[in-house]
Amino acid sequence: MKILFIGDIFGKAGRRAIKNELPNLVKTREIDCVIANAENVTHGRSLSLKHYQELMQSGVNYFTFGNHTWHLDEIKNVLAQPNTVRPLNLYPDLPEAALGQGSIAFKIKDKTIRLTNLLGNTVDCHKIQTNPFPFFTNFLQQNSADIHIVDLHTETTSEKNAFFLTFAGKVSAILGTHTHVQSADEKIYQNTAYITDVGMTGGSLGIIGAEPDSILQVFMGTAERFRLSPSHSKYQFNAVLLSFDDQTNVVKSIERIFIYEK
């Protein structure tokens, strides 16, 4: 079993990267399932129904999200689709929690795959999320699968590392998203694959995929806020490829994938 997880797809450059790179990658690497973080797909924030359909046609099978999930009103139509997973650990009385699912289970090659999306404590999301550590501890007591993949969407490397050490041996993979810079610390420990950040699929000459102008003004001290306007530079394609033993369901390898547009 081979599962490809693609780091945050950012804007038009990210969508172009998926269209150009994914079909051949799926064919040549014999990939069984493709998952992508899609919270930045449509102009850098959220995912429109049109872009959801476009990514499906390019070969993405399942979608996870993050703190920009609810930026577009039409996200309600996207989250109604059975292959989308928004963050799970939301306060249940909030309107965001009424849309979609935070964890889904599906079948591939007679294996039950569970995909879970979580928001960390250190991501700024207007405090709509509960603490993922006790929340996920309770969740695991009631939900199991042959293979369980977690997209942990949060800001700090320390929180991602802490989550990995807390839940190593209890899930198949913990994959960090949100910070958009692919880390070089992929590992397998206690049969759990881990990487602090899968990276970003979008403009390679921007700042975390965004046009640099307004962001540079903040760092220079000449502006207080920046805009996440997608970069239109040549793209990069960031992902990890997970391979599992078909007999034991144990993860055998995690491989970083980093492709620059030629």
Side-chain angles (χ1 to χ4, degrees), residues 18-241:
I18 297 299
K19 182 178 181 180
N20 290 351
E21 304 294 344
L22 183 57
N24 183 62
L25 194 60
V26 169
K27 181 179 179 180
T28 58
R29 301 301 297 270
E30 300 181 322
I31 293 168
D32 299 295
C33 177
V34 177
I35 304 166
N37 185 289
E39 71 140 4
N40 299 127
V41 168
T42 301
H43 311 305
R45 293 178 181 235
S46 195
L47 175 64
S48 69
L49 189 59
K50 174 185 175 181
H51 291 156
Y52 161 81
Q53 293 167 342
E54 178 184 315
L55 292 171
M56 285 274 291
Q57 291 173 357
S58 294
V60 178
N61 305 122
Y62 295 91
F63 299 83
T64 59
F65 291 89
N67 54 302
H68 291 305
T69 303
W70 305 274
H71 183 76
L72 296 177
D73 289 339
E74 64 179 295
I75 192 64
K76 62 180 180 291
N77 299 319
V78 175
L79 293 181
Q81 307 305 315
N83 61 343
T84 61
V85 186
R86 51 89 174 148
L88 175 66
N89 57 316
L90 306 177
Y91 285 104
D93 57 340
L94 295 176
E96 291 89 346
L99 301 174
Q101 305 175 80
S103 184
I104 59 173
F106 50 92
K107 288 280 191 179
I108 297 178
K109 290 184 173 180
D110 294 325
K111 305 290 185 181
T112 299
I113 315 295
R114 178 166 288 280
L115 176 62
T116 299
N117 194 185
L118 294 168
L119 283 173
N121 291 307
T122 57
V123 65
D124 183 9
C125 201
H126 306 292
K127 299 181 180 179
I128 67 171
Q129 75 270 42
T130 65
N131 188 323
F133 288 79
F135 183 94
F136 195 55
T137 298
N138 293 332
F139 180 80
L140 282 177
Q141 294 174 357
Q142 305 172 34
N143 296 274
S144 61
D146 297 318
I147 295 170
H148 191 168
I149 297 172
V150 178
D151 175 349
L152 178 62
H153 196 83
T154 194
E155 187 75 31
T156 64
T157 57
S158 57
E159 183 175 15
K160 293 175 185 179
N161 275 254
F163 192 89
F164 168 56
L165 291 177
T166 300
F167 294 102
K170 300 176 182 177
V171 296
S172 305
I174 297 170
L175 308 176
T177 59
H178 178 67
T179 47
H180 289 205
V181 178
Q182 190 180 74
S183 54
D185 62 340
E186 73 277 13
K187 60 176 72 78
I188 296 174
Y189 174 63
Q190 294 185 359
N191 293 330
T192 297
Y194 172 77
I195 189 169
T196 298
D197 203 274
V198 178
M200 180 274 303
T201 297
S204 62
L205 295 177
I207 296 175
I208 62 170
E211 286 292 344
D213 291 349
S214 71
I215 300 175
L216 289 174
Q217 289 172 17
V218 172
F219 284 114
M220 292 293 292
T222 57
E224 293 184 0
R225 300 187 61 144
F226 59 78
R227 299 184 308 275
L228 280 179
S229 301
S231 168
H232 298 295
S233 62
K234 288 187 176 182
Y235 64 69
Q236 64 185 48
F237 180 104
N238 281 183
V240 291
L241 181 59

